[in-house]
């Protein structure tokens, strides 16, 4: 099967899932206790005003018609208006999305690069102190509550040592022109090295706390996969013909040890998306995770619906991309 | 049966870390039961004249681990919290086991339209990042420990149901199932007598690995203040109340509940890993 045919097949299979996700999101948010009209107006208005608003929002329609209206607008990227801010929900999501993307992507990069490097080092120096401390780290890392780790980092590096800022994406008074919304990129495009350093300093603790669990898992998997590969015959051959050890490890062995590592990295995306909700709350990081938690707490239904549907949609899309990468790396998958 | 247990135990005991983890886990279970009786103070009692008191490091003998922003005794809250976290963890296991087994057995055994509908629904649930799903369900159900249990269990039910269904598909083709049916046994009898006992091993392994994870999700919900009342002495909720005072240097409100979460998750994870390893090696030997 050609890659594009596989892609089309995956895409078609996604349609019923997406429909189901939208129904669940719609129904769940509808069942959240509390009356949206009360929240918008308070209880000091006349019945006539209430009814007028109810009609304007379509809340007096039967449920399936409400769903259909919501879903067809959602497909056009229209999730309605936020009850709290009176802004379109999509706009609220899009202004916060770059913050979340920046945080998650940097965390993923930390997890992948350091994870593979540490994992390879542990395998190379098997049963030494380096190996044992890396195993210890990965053991602790998978069990640590990242929101607690984040707060401990804040105490250590921001409160006690004063090296890094406590929260947010930029210091007061720093402004970066918006091209992509990713401050690391925007500051570089604008040539503002000072702002770039400032945003790195803000990003460091949130990204490291978010990366920890995934980093630990990547270390663990890389190590065991490398140990398997390093005992293969062709590695002995490479060494026997006098190849440099570094080259043996990083070119011959690592390439063949990567498949289980790629699988684990693919599985980390869900973890990172969930973890971002927690990390953003700890560091007051203005992303969509914090938007969601705030919206749940103030019962801003359109925002809750919008964010959950948007994130689930993104999650499905990312999974398709990951599957495509697998299918590309391992052609057997396409023929299943 | 006894012989098999001995074999598993022998392999398990070789893993030193898993043995230590087992004892910490047992200690936590004991604390969960006796905690409320040995706690020196009422965990929700507010004492505004004793806010932010440092603990033993400041020479405080009355509040060993200090007090929080409302003057509540952190040591007493942690002790009560042990019971809450473990109760939620075990309840999540129980709910997941019952629901996952039921759905998986029905779907795998009967097949057909039922199977297709159930599996589609499971695909839909698995399309959400787990924390997001628990968060929305907890928000929908409202505040309460029992509701939080349900919200967290829904993360695991789909995966377990899938595992069970997979095993059922193999087991139901076995000769002994056919023999039983030939002798006139009904579906219920076959499911309970023949299919269920033969799909239990992967279920038990899955459930032991789930406890630490479930405790972590409970703390996450408590921390986000969704589904769990922020005044309850739940560990995650305690972290949330300490969050804003971290920058004022009141680290003890956050440090101790966090250590408890970490310790509980770590010991249950290591216990689960050790158990899985032991069961796996026993299966290989047979």
């Amino acid at each position: 099967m050609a890659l594009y045919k596989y892609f089309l097949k995956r895409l078609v299979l996604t349609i019923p899932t997406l429909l189901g996700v939208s129904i669940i999101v719609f129904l769940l948010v509808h069942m959240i206790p509390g009356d949206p009209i009360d929240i918008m107006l308070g209880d000091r208005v006349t019945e006539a005003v209430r009814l007028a608003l109810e009609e304007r929002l379509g809340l007096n329609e039967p449920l399936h018609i409400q769903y259909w209206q919501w879903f067809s607008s959602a497909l056009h990227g229209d999730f309605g208006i936020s009850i709290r801010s009176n802004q379109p929900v999509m706009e609220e999501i899009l202004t916060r999305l770059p913050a979340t993307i920046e945080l998650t992507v940097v965390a993923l990069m930390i997890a992948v690069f350091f994870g593979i490097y540490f994992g390879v080092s542990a395998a190379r120096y098997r049963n030494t102190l380096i190996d044992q401390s890396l195993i210890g780290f990965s053991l602790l890392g998978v069990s640590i509550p990242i929101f607690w780790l984040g707060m401990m980092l804040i105490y250590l590096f921001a409160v006690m040592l004063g090296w890094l800022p406590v929260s947010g994406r930029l210091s007061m008074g720093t402004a970066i022109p918006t091209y992509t919304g990713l401050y690391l990129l925007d500051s570089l495009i604008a040539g503002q090295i000072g702002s770039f350093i400032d945003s790195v300093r803000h990003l460091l603790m949130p990204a490291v706390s978010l990366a920890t669990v995934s980093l630990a898992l990547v270390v663990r998997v890389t190590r065991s996969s490398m140990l398997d590969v390093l005992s293969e015959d062709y590695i002995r051959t490479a060494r026997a013909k006098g190849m440099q050890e570094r080259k043996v490890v990083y070119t011959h062995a690592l390439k063949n040890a990567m498949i289980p590592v790629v699988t684990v990295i693919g599985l980390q995306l869900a973890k990172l998306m969930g973890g971002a909700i927690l990390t953003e709350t700890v560091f007051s990081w203005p992303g969509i995770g914090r938007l969601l938690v705030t919206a749940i707490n103030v019962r801003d239904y359109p925002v809750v619906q919008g964010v959950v549907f948007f994130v689930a949609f993104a999650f499905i899309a990312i999974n398709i991309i990951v599957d495509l990468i697998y299918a590309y790396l391992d052609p057997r998958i396409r023929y299943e | 049966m006894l012989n098999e247990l001995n074999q598993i135990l022998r392999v398990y005991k070789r893993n030193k870390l898993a043995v230590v983890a087992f004892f910490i886990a047992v200690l936590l279970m004991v604390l969960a039961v006796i905690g409320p009786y040995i706690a020196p103070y009422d965990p929700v009692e507010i004492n505004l004249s004793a806010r932010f008191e440092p603990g033993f490091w400041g020479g405080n003998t009355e509040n060993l681990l200090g007090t929080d922003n409302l003057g509540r005794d952190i040591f007493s809250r942690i002790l009560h919290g042990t019971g809450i976290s473990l109760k939620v963890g075990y309840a999540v296991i129980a709910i997941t086991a019952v629901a996952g087994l039921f759905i998986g057995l029905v779907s795998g055994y009967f097949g057909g339209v039922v199977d297709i509908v159930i599996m589609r629904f499971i695909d839909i649930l698995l399309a959400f990042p787990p924390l997001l799903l628990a968060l929305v369900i907890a928000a929908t159900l409202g505040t309460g420990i029992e509701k939080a249990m349900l919200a967290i269990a829904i993360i695991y039910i789909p995966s377990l149901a899938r595992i069970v269904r997979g095993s059922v598909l193999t087991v139901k083709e076995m000769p002994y199932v056919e023999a039983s049916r030939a002798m006139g046994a009904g579906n219920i009898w076959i499911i309970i007598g023949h299919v269920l006992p033969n799909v239990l091993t992967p279920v038990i392994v899955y459930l032991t690995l789930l406890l630490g994870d479930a405790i972590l999700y409970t703390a996450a919900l408590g921390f986000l203040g969704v589904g769990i009342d922020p005044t309850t002495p739940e560990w995650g909720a305690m972290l949330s109340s300490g969050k804003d005072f971290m920058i004022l240097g009141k680290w003890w409100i956050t440090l101790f509940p966090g250590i408890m979460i970490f310790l509980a998750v770590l010991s249950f994870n290591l216990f689960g890993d050790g158990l899985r390893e032991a069961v796996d090696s026993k299966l290989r030997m047979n």
Side-chain angles (χ1 to χ4, degrees):
Chain A
M1 202 186 298
L3 202 57
Y4 79 93
K5 271 191 182 161
Y6 175 76
F7 173 66
L8 282 180
K9 197 179 128 199
R10 281 291 277 111
L11 214 57
V12 171
L13 284 175
T14 304
I15 294 170
T17 312
L18 203 61
L19 215 59
V21 165
S22 72
I23 294 175
I24 290 186
V25 171
F26 178 80
L27 286 181
L28 275 180
V29 175
H30 252 264
M31 289 188 292
I32 293 180
D35 182 17
I37 302 283
D38 281 346
I39 293 155
M40 278 186 262
L41 298 176
D43 44 12
R44 292 188 189 177
V45 288
T46 61
E47 196 59 18
V49 176
R50 289 180 56 94
L51 288 176
L53 185 67
E54 220 175 79
E55 195 172 326
R56 190 163 72 81
L57 294 173
L59 290 174
N60 51 352
E61 303 277 0
L63 207 56
H64 64 275
I65 292 180
Q66 283 191 46
Y67 165 73
W68 185 246
Q69 282 167 350
W70 177 77
F71 183 62
S72 51
S73 328
L75 285 183
H76 294 100
D78 174 11
F79 291 119
I81 306 284
S82 158
I83 294 177
R84 281 288 151 144
S85 69
N86 270 321
Q87 300 286 317
V89 174
M90 198 59 188
E91 210 167 277
E92 297 247 350
I93 293 176
L94 289 180
T95 49
R96 284 169 180 80
L97 188 62
T100 302
I101 292 179
E102 193 169 59
L103 175 64
T104 340
V105 169
V106 171
L108 186 67
M109 278 159 56
I110 292 175
V112 170
F113 290 133
F114 286 92
I116 291 176
Y117 179 70
F118 289 156
V120 170
S121 308
R124 267 179 88 175
Y125 306 108
R126 190 180 184 181
N127 293 333
T128 62
L129 193 65
I130 298 176
D131 184 26
Q132 274 152 7
S133 37
L134 284 171
I135 292 176
F137 160 78
S138 69
L139 219 51
L140 296 179
V142 291
S143 301
I144 204 164
I146 54 167
F147 39 105
W148 177 67
L149 175 69
M151 284 189 274
M152 289 296 131
L153 291 178
I154 289 179
Y155 183 71
L156 187 62
F157 292 105
V159 180
M160 271 179 74
L161 299 169
W163 291 352
L164 293 169
V166 173
S167 62
R169 288 180 80 191
L170 278 180
S171 301
M172 294 272 266
T174 314
I176 292 179
T178 310
Y179 303 111
T180 60
L182 308 171
Y183 287 176
L184 293 182
L185 279 184
D186 286 353
S187 58
L188 285 180
I189 294 173
Q192 302 176 346
I193 297 301
S195 315
F196 177 74
I197 293 173
D198 191 49
S199 51
V200 169
R201 277 163 43 86
H202 280 83
L203 187 57
L204 211 54
M205 286 197 292
V208 168
S209 0
L210 180 56
T212 305
V213 177
S214 308
L215 173 63
L217 280 169
V218 175
V219 171
R220 200 190 259 192
V221 176
T222 309
R223 177 183 179 273
S224 71
S225 172
M226 274 301 275
L227 285 177
D228 286 346
V229 173
L230 283 175
S231 62
E232 296 281 343
D233 288 341
Y234 58 86
I235 297 295
R236 191 166 0 110
T237 311
R239 279 179 183 149
K241 70 179 188 190
M243 191 183 239
Q244 262 185 341
E245 182 65 16
R246 265 181 62 90
K247 230 176 165 182
V248 174
V249 170
Y250 282 100
T251 58
H252 281 57
L254 186 58
K255 211 186 269 172
N256 291 299
M258 278 310 282
I259 289 176
V261 179
V262 172
T263 312
V264 169
I265 293 170
L267 291 173
Q268 290 318 299
L269 289 164
K271 277 225 166 75
L272 288 175
M273 286 168 101
I277 300 175
L278 296 163
T279 326
E280 287 179 6
T281 306
V282 173
F283 292 96
S284 306
W285 190 262
I288 50 176
R290 231 177 119 225
L291 177 67
L292 174 67
V293 175
T294 320
I296 287 177
N297 285 328
V298 301
R299 303 190 193 296
D300 193 342
Y301 307 99
V303 174
V304 178
Q305 269 173 344
V307 174
V308 175
F309 187 61
F310 185 88
V311 173
F313 187 87
F315 186 47
I316 293 172
I318 290 171
N319 277 333
I320 292 182
I321 295 170
V322 172
D323 280 355
L324 277 183
I325 295 174
Y326 290 153
Y328 174 75
L329 288 177
D330 188 350
R332 282 172 301 179
I333 293 172
R334 287 179 240 164
Y335 294 96
E336 261 177 25
Chain B
M1 190 67 192
L2 210 61
N3 197 20
E4 286 179 358
L5 277 180
N6 265 329
Q7 266 179 23
I8 292 177
L9 199 66
R10 214 171 37 239
V11 180
Y12 187 89
K13 277 199 292 197
R14 264 187 252 144
N15 184 344
K16 294 266 157 44
L17 214 53
V19 174
V20 176
F22 174 76
F23 282 111
I24 296 177
V26 170
L27 190 72
L28 285 171
M29 287 184 233
V30 173
L31 265 192
V33 177
I34 65 168
Y37 300 102
I38 58 172
Y41 297 92
D42 180 344
V44 292
E45 191 187 67
I46 293 172
N47 182 358
L48 292 178
S49 61
R51 303 169 68 204
F52 302 121
E53 296 276 359
F56 65 87
W57 57 96
N60 188 341
T61 49
E62 283 176 15
N63 307 98
L64 276 179
L65 301 181
T67 61
D68 68 5
N69 53 317
L70 296 172
R72 295 171 296 195
D73 181 48
I74 292 173
F75 183 56
S76 305
R77 286 176 72 71
I78 280 180
L79 285 176
H80 278 268
T82 315
I84 296 176
S85 289
L86 264 61
K87 200 167 81 182
V88 176
Y90 286 123
V92 167
I93 288 190
I95 299 169
T96 307
V98 172
L101 272 172
F102 180 76
I103 297 170
L105 284 170
V106 168
S107 188
Y109 187 81
F110 293 105
V113 185
V114 181
D115 184 39
I116 293 173
V117 170
I118 291 177
M119 284 302 121
R120 284 290 93 173
F121 189 65
I122 282 176
D123 282 346
I124 293 166
L125 288 181
L126 290 174
F128 290 93
L131 181 63
L132 190 73
L133 188 63
L135 201 59
V136 181
I137 291 178
T140 307
L141 294 175
T143 303
I145 291 288
E146 290 79 14
K147 293 167 184 167
M149 292 168 182
L150 203 60
I152 296 167
I154 290 174
I155 298 178
Y156 306 107
I157 294 170
S159 323
L160 183 66
R162 234 189 212 180
I163 294 171
V164 173
R165 174 181 175 271
S167 314
V168 171
L169 289 183
T170 354
V171 171
K172 86 173 176 184
E173 303 300 330
M174 292 287 173
Y176 53 79
V177 172
E178 211 176 314
S180 180
R181 191 172 294 130
M183 282 159 63
N187 285 333
I188 306 279
W189 175 261
I190 294 176
I191 290 179
I192 293 176
H194 297 296
V195 180
L196 182 64
N198 288 299
V199 301
L200 274 182
T201 311
V203 173
I204 291 170
V205 169
Y206 182 83
L207 293 176
T208 46
L209 287 173
L210 171 162
L211 186 56
D213 212 42
I215 289 176
L216 202 53
Y217 276 115
T218 313
L221 287 187
F223 175 69
L224 295 173
V226 178
I228 289 171
D229 178 7
T231 60
T232 47
E234 194 279 326
W235 293 335
M238 292 176 72
L239 290 188
S240 163
S241 69
K243 175 177 161 270
D244 294 336
F245 305 103
M246 208 64 184
I247 40 172
L248 302 175
K250 317 291 184 200
W251 47 268
W252 56 89
I253 308 177
T254 313
L255 179 70
F256 299 113
I259 289 179
M260 293 304 282
I261 302 171
F262 193 15
L263 208 60
V265 176
L266 186 64
S267 60
F268 286 119
N269 278 350
L270 290 175
F271 170 67
D273 280 344
L275 195 66
R276 187 188 45 182
E277 219 170 87
V279 172
D280 277 354
S281 76
K282 197 223 95 189
L283 289 178
R284 267 201 305 275
M285 270 190 278
N286 291 0

